[in-house]
Amino acid sequence: MKKSLVLLLTTLLLCGCPTVKPPQRPVAYMYPTVMPMSALEACQPKPFSPQEVRGLLEKAAVLPLLEAEGLLSGDVEIMARGFTKRGYAELDARRTSGNLQWVAVMSLEQGNLLLCGFRKIPPAAACFNAEINDKKARRYLEPDAYGRAKSVTEYPSPIPGMVVRRVQLGKKTHWETRLLLQQQ
């Protein structure tokens, strides 16, 4: 009996599927994977429909980028549930080949904050037409989620409530946009 059980367990372990790969498309989460958990402290749950989430993504000019990478309607529904339950939702697109890597949406007292991460400078066609002029930029250090200092260069944007940032941590650089949509 023991030999059979050991043989069965060994077979199960060896035949398990250790190479399961996550999808190569944007995937929605209700808990943060791209933001620290402490970011949820300021979030305020409120009812949101999938159509309202799509509207936020359209206002941030990232919906076409996400759809081009295979965004599913079910992921938009997961984001709506995250907003309703916790005031936070995100799309992780780091496994896609596109420039847009992630989107975090937070419901705050002053409005909805959309944070987007990009591999390279955001495309001007996506309404991120900040003036990338280092003479007009603001530079500062801020801690990342693990307490490491990251260098931030912030560029002015003509879009109200929009900030475009270049973030460098060690030798890695990425770009971020932050759009605050005020409460109506």
Side-chain angles (χ1 to χ4, degrees):
M1 177 72 177
K2 280 188 175 182
K3 284 184 180 179
S4 298
L5 184 58
V6 170
L7 184 59
L8 177 63
L9 288 174
T10 303
T11 304
L12 287 174
L13 287 174
L14 293 175
C15 293
C17 190
T19 59
V20 172
K21 293 183 181 178
Q24 302 285 307
R25 61 173 175 75
V27 178
Y29 298 107
M30 293 188 294
Y31 287 102
T33 64
V34 297
M35 302 287 291
M37 280 297 283
S38 60
L40 295 182
E41 293 172 8
C43 295
Q44 299 180 344
K46 64 180 171 182
F48 245 72
S49 71
Q51 293 78 15
E52 289 171 309
V53 170
R54 289 182 70 81
L56 287 176
L57 297 173
E58 283 176 0
K59 287 179 183 174
V62 295
L63 186 59
L65 301 173
L66 292 165
E67 288 176 333
E69 293 298 328
L71 177 67
L72 301 177
S73 60
D75 287 300
V76 175
E77 291 170 11
I78 291 170
M79 290 184 76
R81 281 198 310 268
F83 246 112
T84 301
K85 291 182 178 184
R86 291 175 188 79
Y88 177 87
E90 70 180 46
L91 284 165
D92 183 351
R94 291 177 284 189
R95 291 178 197 86
T96 68
S97 61
N99 187 22
L100 180 61
Q101 296 297 284
W102 52 266
V103 176
V105 186
M106 304 168 75
S107 172
L108 306 173
E109 187 175 318
Q110 63 270 33
N112 296 312
L113 180 62
L114 288 96
L115 308 169
C116 304
F118 295 85
R119 284 188 176 111
K120 303 176 292 193
I121 190 168
C127 297
F128 301 122
N129 51 353
E131 184 178 343
I132 306 303
N133 180 340
D134 284 331
K135 291 181 181 178
K136 294 183 179 181
R138 187 177 131 222
R139 290 176 186 78
Y140 54 93
L141 294 175
E142 73 179 27
D144 74 352
Y146 302 102
R148 301 172 295 189
K150 61 184 178 182
S151 173
V152 177
T153 306
E154 198 170 276
Y155 298 95
S157 174
I159 299 171
M162 171 75 76
V163 174
V164 178
R165 302 170 8 131
R166 182 176 63 214
V167 179
Q168 185 170 1
L169 180 61
K171 294 183 179 184
K172 292 187 177 186
T173 299
H174 72 275
W175 290 80
E176 295 177 355
T177 59
R178 294 171 177 236
L179 177 61
L180 179 62
L181 299 168
Q182 301 288 330
Q183 295 285 12
Q184 301 288 331

